[in-house]
Amino acid sequence: MDLLHNTLVSAAMNSSTLSPQPVQQRSRKVYMETFGCQMNQADSDIALARLAEAGYHEVSSGDEADLIIYNTCSVRDGAEGKIRGRLGAIKQRKSSDPNLRIAVMGCMAQRAKEELLKTYPQVDLVVGTDQFVHIPELLERLPEEGRLVATNFGDFENSGNWSTRRSDGVNAWIPVMRGCNYNCTYCIVPTTRGREKSRPPHLIEQEAREAVAAGHAQVTLLGQTVDAYGKTLGDGSNLATLLRRLHAIEDLKRIRFVTSHPKDITDELLDTMAELPKVAKHLHVPAQCGSNRILRLMGRRYTREGYLDFVRRARERMPDVELLTDIIVGFPRESDADFQETRTLMQEVGFAGAYVFMYSPRPGTGANNLADDVPLEVKKARCNDILGLQLAHQEAWYRTLHGREYEVLVEGLSKNNDQRIQGRSIGNLNILVDRFTADGRDLLQQRGQLLRVRIRDNTNLALYADPVQAHG
Ligand code: 5AD
Ligand code: SF4
């Protein structure tokens, strides 16, 4: 099927003053800047691999590039503001260098479409969340057809395995589903990424095997609601069956997955996580808020009690499971009493980590009909309050872990200190170990391998540990 021609929308907005040379005559250097979530990073990596096949070299600065791509995020207004800033800053260079191509891909491209061409004459190409693999062909069409917008939803998930640019890290990110069938009233994602679509399991397994063969010891499965994996396939696949399938890959040491919706976490999934030793005992399951009144306005489709029931079911099977949450503060009509319910939820659960966001109205979403009536100062104070609560909890909890042993998957050097190595527990604890042992071994050589350690100290963001000698 010719996806490209079936799904393109041409904006026919030629700018008559510029007369760019055909793309193939120019040196081909691409600079990509990626905003937002890990799914965007995964999409950037695929787009860059396609561009490499088409002869583009990646460069590390926009100044050297003759193609600049912004892979954009729309989840909060602040993210879009940053991108608008980038587009403003590049305008002058574009007017002095008509051969420079500017492309906008990702969620903001999908949301704003033609509006981006109208507002920013410096933009040549707008490519949506299902069309980015076609960037090389779209670039070829620019000289003849002028500026283009390609934002239709296609059949990306079934279109085979695209090659990707993998970092040399221990982890390989693997998108397993895209889009979202929920309609949380604050969220732009269902608009920007469309309906939920799962990839067939054999393609995922093939990609995971290739990643492991290339030296990655861990895979992290990605999806907006990853625990809903398989629903659109209709062949009985679900996240539990997928985990089982990947677990059989020899030399794969760890499997993680993000992000889950509380309603899709089945007992089968929890039982499978508990049973399979390579599967991380870690769940990122955003609660968003602790007040039933606000949860209803958010359209989250569970109650506080329902969320706590999920926590109970998870801990019954995996007493040490680490739960990570997202929290939105300052949703319309959130009163002090509602906010207190979020605080008490945090205290009752004791999350291993929390991302806290101030509500940001998004165009076209359900909540946009509600007045954004919590003042910014109140949002900021609530945000800081929750962050303080979380850090205090982490500090106190980490202190109880002194003396405990963990299997750490060694990821590499610590970011701030090349005399230490950094790794993760089977949950998601960030563990640092002195790089050189007393007998002179360099533990960096254990990168991608499991190392047994004992915790000796902590801050509120990291744990310090010593290696434990293997017995026998
Ligand atoms: N305002 C603030 N935070 C938001 N999120 C999603 N949409 C918004 C919004 N409009 C947060 C949610 C989600 C995370 C990825 O971003 O907490 O889980
Ligand atoms: Fe957005 Fe809700 Fe879907 Fe998550 S589950 S992507 S918050 S609509």
Side-chain angles (χ1 to χ4, degrees), residues 19-28 99 101 139-140 143:
S19 51
Q21 297 169 23
V23 173
Q24 54 271 38
Q25 286 174 20
R26 299 170 17 233
S27 70
R28 295 175 155 201
N99 288 325
R101 301 289 199 204
L139 289 168
E140 295 291 330

Side-chain angles (χ1 to χ4, degrees), residues 201-263:
H202 70 278
L203 292 181
I204 297 167
E205 181 183 342
Q206 185 191 1
E207 188 171 341
R209 284 191 183 279
E210 283 166 11
V212 172
H216 297 276
Q218 172 177 286
V219 296
T220 303
L221 311 180
L222 287 176
Q224 263 80 32
T225 54
V226 69
D227 48 339
Y229 172 78
K231 282 188 185 167
T232 58
L233 294 172
D235 64 353
S237 305
N238 58 31
L239 185 58
T241 62
L242 182 65
L243 289 173
R244 230 172 251 293
R245 187 167 178 151
L246 300 180
H247 201 266
I249 300 177
E250 227 179 302
D251 294 333
L252 176 59
K253 301 218 165 63
R254 289 254 169 95
I255 310 172
R256 299 183 176 277
F257 56 89
V258 285
T259 301
S260 301
H261 188 286
K263 262 191 91 73

Side-chain angles (χ1 to χ4, degrees), residues 227-374:
D227 48 339
Y229 172 78
K231 282 188 185 167
T232 58
L233 294 172
D235 64 353
S237 305
N238 58 31
L239 185 58
T241 62
L242 182 65
L243 289 173
R244 230 172 251 293
R245 187 167 178 151
L246 300 180
H247 201 266
I249 300 177
E250 227 179 302
D251 294 333
L252 176 59
K253 301 218 165 63
R254 289 254 169 95
I255 310 172
R256 299 183 176 277
F257 56 89
V258 285
T259 301
S260 301
H261 188 286
K263 262 191 91 73
D264 288 312
I265 299 209
T266 59
D267 284 348
E268 182 193 2
L269 175 61
L270 294 171
D271 287 336
T272 307
M273 286 176 72
E275 178 195 328
L276 300 179
K278 294 179 183 178
V279 176
K281 308 304 178 247
H282 178 239
L283 283 160
H284 183 179
V285 192
Q288 309 294 6
C289 137
S291 148
N292 281 336
R293 197 174 75 90
I294 301 296
L295 283 170
R296 203 169 330 110
L297 286 173
M298 286 179 164
R300 286 292 285 174
R301 302 196 220 170
Y302 55 83
T303 57
R304 175 191 181 97
E305 295 71 30
Y307 190 90
L308 288 170
D309 188 55
F310 140 69
V311 173
R312 184 191 54 74
R313 289 190 294 124
R315 288 188 170 152
E316 225 167 59
R317 292 164 175 83
M318 296 171 281
D320 285 334
V321 69
E322 290 173 26
L323 304 175
L324 188 66
T325 189
D326 295 351
I327 297 288
I328 297 177
V329 295
F331 187 82
R333 303 185 190 169
E334 185 186 68
S335 66
D336 269 334
D338 292 315
F339 176 65
Q340 286 310 318
E341 297 214 47
T342 298
R343 293 188 96 245
T344 56
L345 182 80
M346 303 283 296
Q347 285 160 335
E348 266 178 67
V349 176
F351 287 103
Y355 296 105
V356 190
F357 306 104
M358 291 188 280
Y359 171 69
S360 164
R362 309 309 298 126
T365 58
N368 211 25
N369 300 325
L370 304 173
D372 181 18
D373 56 2
V374 177

Side-chain angles (χ1 to χ4, degrees), residues 123-138:
V123 172
D124 298 289
L125 186 58
V126 176
V127 193
T129 50
D130 250 14
Q131 296 294 333
F132 57 89
V133 287
H134 303 301
I135 288 178
E137 294 82 358
L138 290 163

Side-chain angles (χ1 to χ4, degrees), residues 99-209:
N99 288 325
L100 175 69
R101 301 289 199 204
I102 311 281
V104 182
M105 68 180 262
C107 285
M108 188 176 173
Q110 188 70 45
R111 187 189 73 67
K113 303 185 172 73
E114 282 82 3
E115 185 212 311
L116 284 173
L117 292 194
K118 286 199 193 105
T119 316
Y120 300 100
Q122 58 275 43
V123 172
D124 298 289
L125 186 58
V126 176
V127 193
T129 50
D130 250 14
Q131 296 294 333
F132 57 89
V133 287
H134 303 301
I135 288 178
E137 294 82 358
L138 290 163
L139 289 168
E140 295 291 330
R141 289 172 49 189
L142 289 181
E144 293 239 320
E145 297 180 40
R147 306 162 73 209
L148 289 173
V149 176
T151 51
N152 282 28
F153 286 115
D155 195 15
F156 183 81
E157 297 353 276
N158 278 308
S159 59
N161 272 355
W162 298 96
S163 43
T164 188
R165 178 199 71 155
R166 293 225 179 267
S167 74
D168 59 0
V170 165
N171 181 66
W173 301 95
I174 302 188
V176 300
M177 49 111 63
R178 286 184 163 79
C180 179
N181 279 3
Y182 285 94
N183 245 320
C184 303
T185 58
Y186 51 81
C187 187
I188 196 83
V189 168
T191 313
T192 60
R193 289 204 169 259
R195 305 284 294 167
E196 171 188 317
K197 290 147 285 182
S198 294
R199 283 174 73 195
H202 70 278
L203 292 181
I204 297 167
E205 181 183 342
Q206 185 191 1
E207 188 171 341
R209 284 191 183 279

Side-chain angles (χ1 to χ4, degrees), residues 28-88:
R28 295 175 155 201
K29 291 187 198 144
V30 56
Y31 172 69
M32 171 91 78
E33 186 172 1
T34 305
F35 299 82
C37 66
Q38 210 51 58
M39 189 66 86
N40 260 15
Q41 188 57 57
D43 289 350
S44 288
D45 290 339
I46 293 174
L48 283 167
R50 286 246 50 222
L51 284 160
E53 287 161 8
Y56 283 82
H57 311 284
E58 192 185 347
V59 290
S60 57
S61 133
D63 298 340
E64 299 169 55
D66 51 7
L67 167 64
I68 296 179
I69 305 178
Y70 298 110
N71 189 2
T72 59
C73 171
S74 280
V75 78
R76 279 169 291 277
D77 190 52
E80 289 205 356
K82 257 194 225 162
I83 294 147
R84 291 187 191 281
R86 292 291 195 284
L87 292 174

